[in-house]
Amino acid sequence: MFTESEKKALDILLGSNRISEEFFLYWNDAVNADGYSSKLLLMFAAIDALIKPPGGGARNTRLREPILGQNLSREICGPPPNGLRNRLVHGEYFSPIDVDDYVTRVHEKIVRYINDEILHDNLIEEGVTHPQRNFYDNVHTAGRWIQQIDDAWPLALKKRARKLRS
């Protein structure tokens, strides 16, 4: 379901030649990823696709800072040993300095950039709570039928409450 402003944003984005198709493919993969590091790495790939001219050419790495802001750009794309993107891509997992919710921060910056620089209007909602949430660690369904076959073992099913990760 789309609101009127979201439909307008979609129409503009689909007609725009400023964002490559790869950005949308990576962003879709990031939205559907359930692990934190995989989601973050896909978001970093989406940023790389966003700073690459549609139709090819070299990435304009100077665009990272206008998109992410100076501080977040330095935290993510800074030179080793500090840049989170470089550390994750090269096999170093999160460290004690990586305490921020980078997924939410990156999401907010991307949406703000698209609203400001592509749409020139606040058509995509920026104040979404947990914008990159998915169903990881929620109650899952198996899509199977369970049938009791022995009266000696009564089938008693109950829903187990699980705490959502924040």
Side-chain angles (χ1 to χ4, degrees):
M1 183 200 112
F2 289 95
T3 64
E4 286 298 318
S5 66
E6 292 166 338
K7 173 69 167 88
K8 183 178 178 182
L10 179 64
D11 290 340
I12 293 170
L13 290 172
L14 290 175
S16 174
N17 63 355
R18 293 188 56 197
I19 300 178
S20 68
E21 182 179 359
E22 289 82 5
F23 168 80
F24 295 110
L25 294 171
Y26 278 120
W27 199 255
N28 183 63
D29 287 346
V31 168
N32 290 312
D34 59 2
Y36 184 75
S37 61
S38 59
K39 181 180 288 287
L40 206 48
L41 285 166
L42 287 163
M43 292 173 92
F44 296 160
I47 292 168
D48 281 351
L50 188 59
I51 64 174
K52 184 176 126 184
R59 292 176 296 157
N60 184 354
T61 56
R62 292 183 308 229
L63 286 177
R64 284 186 185 136
E65 192 168 303
I67 293 169
L68 297 172
Q70 185 178 23
N71 291 338
L72 186 57
S73 180
R74 187 175 44 251
E75 289 173 50
I76 289 174
C77 302
N82 299 321
L84 178 60
R85 176 187 175 274
N86 291 330
R87 286 186 285 124
L88 289 175
V89 167
H90 295 289
E92 295 179 37
Y93 206 63
F94 297 101
S95 72
I97 65 169
D98 302 316
V99 295
D100 284 344
D101 180 359
Y102 289 105
V103 167
T104 299
R105 288 178 66 195
V106 169
H107 178 93
E108 289 170 351
K109 294 291 189 175
I110 294 291
V111 171
R112 185 169 300 127
Y113 175 80
I114 290 173
N115 274 340
D116 291 348
E117 300 299 324
I118 310 296
L119 302 174
H120 306 290
D121 197 354
N122 289 329
L123 298 177
I124 302 173
E125 176 62 44
E126 295 182 20
V128 176
T129 302
H130 301 298
Q132 284 283 328
R133 69 185 174 273
N134 54 33
F135 297 104
Y136 179 74
D137 205 25
N138 286 348
V139 175
H140 292 255
T141 60
R144 309 264 193 284
W145 289 97
I146 299 175
Q147 179 180 2
Q148 182 175 333
I149 57 172
D150 186 345
D151 287 336
W153 296 91
L155 185 62
L157 299 177
K158 67 179 181 178
K159 184 177 179 180
R160 184 178 78 169
R162 297 174 99 183
K163 181 181 176 189
L164 295 176
R165 293 189 322 173
S166 52

